[in-house]
Amino acid sequence: EVQLVESGGVVVQPGESLRLSCETSGFTFDDYSMHWVRQPPGKGLEWVSLITWDGGSSFYADSVEGRFTISRDNSRDSLSLQMNSLTTEDTAFYYCVAERKRIWDYWGQGTLVTVSS
Amino acid sequence: EIVMTQSPATLSVYRGERATLSCRASQTVSRNLAWYQQKPGQAPRLLIYGAFTRATDIPARFSGSGSGTEFTLTISSLQSEDFAVYYCHQYNTWPPGTFGQGTKLEIK
C-alpha cells in the first residue's frame, strides 16, 4: 500500500521557521520527482516546490522563492520542506505529492501550517 | 503564467444525471491536463491525466476530453460519492504549472 505521511504542521508566529517532513512507503521513492502543494483552508491548490528524483534540481513558486528549501533523502524515502520567514499568507494545508512521467499519482493527507500572531 | 479557468464555479445536479465540467487554458497546454477530485477533509485524488486517460481504479463513468485550450470532465450517472470539488491542472509548463480554481459539484 502506498503511503505518504506529512508531519510538522503547527501554529507559528510571523517571521518564524518550520520544517515539514513527508515519510513515504509502498513505492520506489527514487523513481519519482516530489512536490509540495499547498491549499489555504477553503481555497484552491497552489504548487509550492519540486525536487527531481535524484535531488539534483529543485524549483520554487515565486511566492516562496528564497524562503523555502526542499530536500529529500532517498536512503530514507523521505522528503522535507524547510520554511523560513513565514507570513500569514503561508497558512495552508501542505501536501507532498509523488510524480512520475508527469503523472501526479500519489498524494499525502496533508499537514496544516498556521501562521498567526 | 498559464491561467486555468474552470466553469461553472458550482454545479448542481441530480443523482443519476450527467455532469459536465469545463476547464479553459489561457494558452495551449496540448494534452498535458489532469483532473483531480477532492472531498472535504481529504487530499486531492487523481482522476484523469493526459486529458483523457483514467488513473488507476477510477470508474469508467469519469471521462476526460479536449486538447489545446479547452477541456471537459464528464461524469455520467452521478453517484452520491461523486459530489466533491474538482480541479483541473495543466502541466505543460515545467516546473509544473497551474491549477484551476475548482468546480464544486453538489446535489440538486
Side-chain angles (χ1 to χ4, degrees):
Chain A
E1 181 191 6
V2 170
Q3 288 196 319
L4 295 84
V5 180
E6 301 93 338
S7 62
V10 292
V11 179
V12 296
Q13 294 191 338
E16 292 188 338
S17 298
L18 194 60
R19 187 177 184 87
L20 304 183
S21 297
C22 174
E23 304 296 322
T24 76
S25 61
F27 64 101
T28 305
F29 184 69
D30 56 11
D31 278 352
Y32 287 74
S33 294
M34 297 296 296
H35 304 259
W36 288 97
V37 173
R38 68 184 181 183
Q39 184 175 38
K43 297 188 177 180
L45 300 165
E46 179 191 16
W47 172 77
V48 173
S49 184
L50 156 69
I51 189 165
T52 53
W53 67 274
D54 60 351
S57 297
S58 56
F59 304 89
Y60 301 91
D62 290 346
S63 57
V64 306
E65 179 83 54
R67 300 187 299 123
F68 289 13
T69 302
I70 191 172
S71 60
R72 65 189 294 160
D73 184 343
N74 285 354
S75 68
R76 297 186 175 187
D77 295 348
S78 67
L79 176 73
S80 296
L81 185 69
Q82 176 66 40
M83 304 186 295
N84 298 331
S85 303
L86 286 161
T87 75
T88 56
E89 300 291 305
D90 297 317
T91 294
F93 289 93
Y94 285 74
Y95 298 100
C96 64
V97 187
E99 176 218 334
R100 184 168 177 265
K101 296 183 180 180
R102 293 191 160 190
I103 302 170
W104 296 35
D105 293 88
Y106 307 132
W107 293 61
Q109 284 304 300
T111 188
L112 178 60
V113 173
T114 304
V115 184
S116 173
S117 54
Chain B
E1 178 181 300
I2 299 176
V3 177
M4 306 301 291
T5 303
Q6 292 185 240
S7 61
T10 303
L11 180 62
S12 299
V13 183
Y14 289 107
R15 287 189 191 87
E17 290 194 335
R18 174 189 298 257
T20 302
L21 290 67
S22 297
C23 177
R24 172 177 292 177
S26 60
Q27 61 190 80
T28 183
V29 298
S30 186
R31 285 189 164 170
N32 295 308
L33 189 286
W35 291 93
Y36 298 87
Q37 176 194 68
Q38 188 177 33
K39 298 179 180 179
Q42 296 186 17
R45 172 195 183 195
L46 177 65
L47 297 176
I48 301 284
Y49 62 91
F52 59 82
T53 303
R54 277 191 302 277
T56 303
D57 295 332
I58 300 303
R61 65 180 181 272
F62 291 90
S63 63
S65 62
S67 65
T69 62
E70 300 284 343
F71 299 88
T72 300
L73 174 69
T74 301
I75 313 169
S76 63
S77 189
L78 279 161
Q79 308 297 304
S80 296
E81 61 266 30
D82 300 335
F83 292 94
V85 179
Y86 292 82
Y87 293 95
C88 63
H89 170 225
Q90 70 82 12
Y91 49 91
N92 193 57
T93 56
W94 198 91
T98 44
F99 294 90
Q101 81 280 16
T103 290
K104 182 179 181 180
L105 180 58
E106 60 180 28
I107 302 172
K108 192 169 185 179

